[in-house]
Amino acid sequence: MEQETSNPAIDNLLNEQKLKNIVYPARLFRTRLNEEFLRANRTRRPFLFIKIYSHQYDFLGWGRPSRIVEKTWRISLLTMFSHLRFIDVLGYLSDSSGIGVILLNSDMSTLEGIRKEILHKLNDAGLIQALRHRPKNPIFQAYLYSGLQEKDNLELDEKLKEFNSTNGSFFTLERLNLSDIWEHPHTIKFRHVIKRTTDLICASLALIILSPLLLFCALAVKLSDPKGPVIFKQTRVGRNGKLFTMYKFRSMYVDAEERKKELMAQNETGGKTFKMKNDPRIYPFGHVLRKFSLDELPQLVNIIKGDMSVVGPRPPIPSEVAEYEPWHRMRLSVTPGLTCIWQVSGRSNIPFEGQMRLDNDYIRRDAKLGEDLKLILKTFKVVFKGDGAY
């Protein structure tokens, strides 16, 4: 059984309150958090995950010890604990920084109510001035997960900004991502360093070795359709929803985006992405670029910049992400890449839902570098055959 990561300051408060909630060890608490995350995907009921830091009033937090700040911290925590229900979940954080609370069926209005109650009690105690001190960490670091479609979640962003702007260092509120719950092996420090180093070496060598091919493709694009630019730049969605500019050799006529709307009825993926085998927007040499994935070569620059990795789910466009179901968003929890499982398992012939499941399967794997190497070797084989690309 894992040892509980506790702190005397919080433990004393828990003992005083005689809470009926079980206080889970860190490992089990993380398991419960993952369960509630998955449950919210099914039920579409929101929940709040709140980190309560245990060192806000001592030398690790606000600097010099202060009885005023200590009282402020104590009132804040007692108020939070008073809102715990039997269904809520309480447990220690794995980073030894304090304790975590999961408030089920709760949203921003719940957190705002707790905040107002804390401020009211602090005012009654004459402690409002203590909030002028700026801690290194907030008292509460809160995360909201709604379990809704991504387009509905996007509407929350402005409300989150407004909430944070009015709370200073007292509260912070962010959207909960899978990476906040579950550590993918690539986010473990040493593996991340190894993977990032491998990406830099591979991308840099590829740019040098393939420079004649890159130059040929650039000239061919310009000669095939002189009206447009050689490089097509498009906004894509990276890890945890971060936007970046992705580069490709342009394989379509310059009016491709304008013509897309009239072709949507002929979409052959059966999902949020748009693909059709005989797309009239692609000029003749563009078909060659796409068949052998030569149009993707400029993304080696994205890899060097850190926007992408060699292996990872392909980066989607924002309009596709807006239509995501909650479980689709799992693929955004890692850095996107040039190739992944579905790129070597049928490419564009795989329907949208199948693509999502294969991407999520990659994320659930242990993701050892050996597995990535196998995917890279399979990618070469698939690209040379040219199957499933359009």
Side-chain angles (χ1 to χ4, degrees):
M1 189 71 174
E2 179 179 329
Q3 189 73 22
E4 292 186 359
T5 306
S6 60
N7 179 281
I10 282 185
D11 289 345
N12 289 338
L13 285 180
L14 291 175
N15 292 332
E16 290 175 15
Q17 291 297 292
K18 295 183 173 60
L19 298 174
K20 295 182 179 179
N21 303 69
I22 296 173
V23 183
Y24 286 92
R27 180 177 58 83
L28 293 180
F29 179 70
R30 182 174 287 275
T31 300
R32 284 299 312 272
L33 181 58
N34 185 63
E35 289 173 353
E36 296 306 331
F37 185 90
L38 297 176
R39 194 195 313 275
N41 286 344
R42 298 192 302 270
T43 64
R44 307 293 176 91
R45 292 181 179 177
F47 71 87
L48 288 166
F49 167 43
I50 303 173
K51 294 181 179 180
I52 303 174
Y53 292 101
S54 59
H55 53 247
Q56 288 303 324
Y57 63 87
D58 60 20
F59 62 90
L60 294 175
W62 258 314
R64 295 173 59 186
S66 165
R67 291 188 61 82
I68 293 178
V69 174
E70 180 180 347
K71 289 179 181 178
T72 301
W73 179 84
R74 184 182 178 87
I75 289 174
S76 301
L77 262 66
L78 289 176
T79 305
M80 173 64 72
F81 290 151
S82 71
H83 283 263
L84 286 178
R85 300 157 298 174
F86 185 76
I87 62 171
D88 296 325
V89 185
L90 194 64
Y92 292 104
L93 300 175
S94 58
D95 57 3
S96 304
S97 60
I99 203 162
V101 178
I102 304 173
L103 299 178
L104 301 178
N105 303 331
S106 302
D107 54 19
M108 285 181 62
S109 61
T110 304
L111 189 62
E112 180 62 19
I114 295 173
R115 185 190 74 90
K116 288 181 178 179
E117 184 177 341
I118 291 173
L119 292 177
H120 180 73
K121 290 181 177 179
L122 291 177
N123 184 60
D124 290 345
L127 296 171
I128 287 294
Q129 67 271 22
L131 297 181
R132 295 175 183 173
H133 298 269
R134 299 189 65 83
K136 294 180 181 179
N137 292 308
I139 292 180
F140 301 119
Q141 188 171 348
Y143 299 86
L144 173 65
Y145 189 70
S146 67
L148 300 175
Q149 267 194 319
E150 188 63 18
K151 61 184 177 183
D152 297 320
N153 277 328
L154 292 174
E155 296 176 3
L156 288 175
D157 288 346
E158 289 302 318
K159 294 180 180 179
L160 294 180
K161 290 179 182 178
E162 181 180 353
F163 182 92
N164 288 325
S165 67
T166 58
N167 283 284
S169 299
F170 194 55
F171 277 92
T172 63
L173 179 60
E174 302 173 16
R175 288 171 57 183
L176 185 67
N177 294 302
L178 182 65
S179 57
D180 298 316
I181 299 174
W182 178 60
E183 266 196 342
H184 186 264
H186 288 172
T187 66
I188 299 174
K189 190 173 182 180
F190 78 95
R191 288 201 186 184
H192 173 74
V193 171
I194 294 174
K195 184 174 173 67
R196 179 64 185 141
T197 302
T198 303
D199 285 340
L200 283 172
I201 293 173
C202 290
S204 300
L205 288 175
L207 278 175
I208 295 171
I209 296 171
L210 299 176
S211 55
L213 179 59
L214 289 164
L215 181 59
F216 169 78
C217 290
L219 290 172
V221 169
K222 198 61 181 175
L223 292 173
S224 299
D225 185 30
K227 295 181 181 179
V230 171
I231 298 296
F232 174 66
K233 299 178 182 180
Q234 188 177 45
T235 299
R236 294 289 180 118
V237 181
R239 185 183 175 195
N240 289 338
K242 182 181 178 181
L243 301 179
F244 71 96
T245 300
M246 192 185 78
Y247 309 115
K248 300 179 72 172
F249 281 127
R250 184 173 56 85
S251 59
M252 293 183 173
Y253 292 109
V254 290
D255 62 346
E257 288 300 312
E258 289 76 12
R259 297 169 63 186
K260 181 179 177 180
K261 293 180 180 179
E262 61 191 55
L263 297 171
M264 285 301 294
Q266 302 177 54
N267 186 14
E268 297 177 18
T269 65
K272 282 69 177 173
T273 56
F274 178 81
K275 291 279 186 180
M276 58 183 297
K277 289 182 179 179
N278 298 310
D279 195 329
R281 302 174 301 159
I282 304 175
Y283 59 81
F285 184 70
H287 286 287
V288 178
L289 289 174
R290 289 185 165 223
K291 183 178 179 65
F292 298 104
S293 295
L294 297 174
D295 58 326
E296 312 288 358
L297 290 178
Q299 287 157 45
L300 293 169
V301 176
N302 287 116
I303 294 174
I304 292 175
K305 291 174 63 178
D307 298 325
M308 295 176 60
S309 178
V310 175
V311 180
R314 291 294 294 159
I317 61 176
S319 60
E320 294 170 6
V321 174
E323 299 297 324
Y324 274 8
E325 296 296 331
W327 69 273
H328 295 157
R329 190 176 168 82
M330 180 178 179
R331 69 191 301 273
L332 300 180
S333 62
V334 296
T335 304
L338 274 176
T339 186
C340 204
I341 297 177
W342 70 264
Q343 280 75 29
V344 301
S345 306
R347 301 171 84 176
S348 297
N349 290 330
I350 298 177
F352 176 78
E353 294 294 320
Q355 295 173 5
M356 297 295 104
R357 287 188 172 87
L358 288 174
D359 281 339
N360 289 348
D361 181 51
Y362 169 77
I363 294 169
R364 291 190 186 98
R365 293 185 180 188
D366 194 25
K368 296 176 181 177
L369 292 177
E371 295 295 321
D372 282 359
L373 180 59
K374 290 179 182 179
L375 286 174
I376 293 171
L377 294 176
K378 288 181 180 179
T379 299
F380 283 120
K381 181 180 177 180
V382 170
V383 167
F384 287 138
K385 289 178 67 178
D387 293 337
Y390 51 87

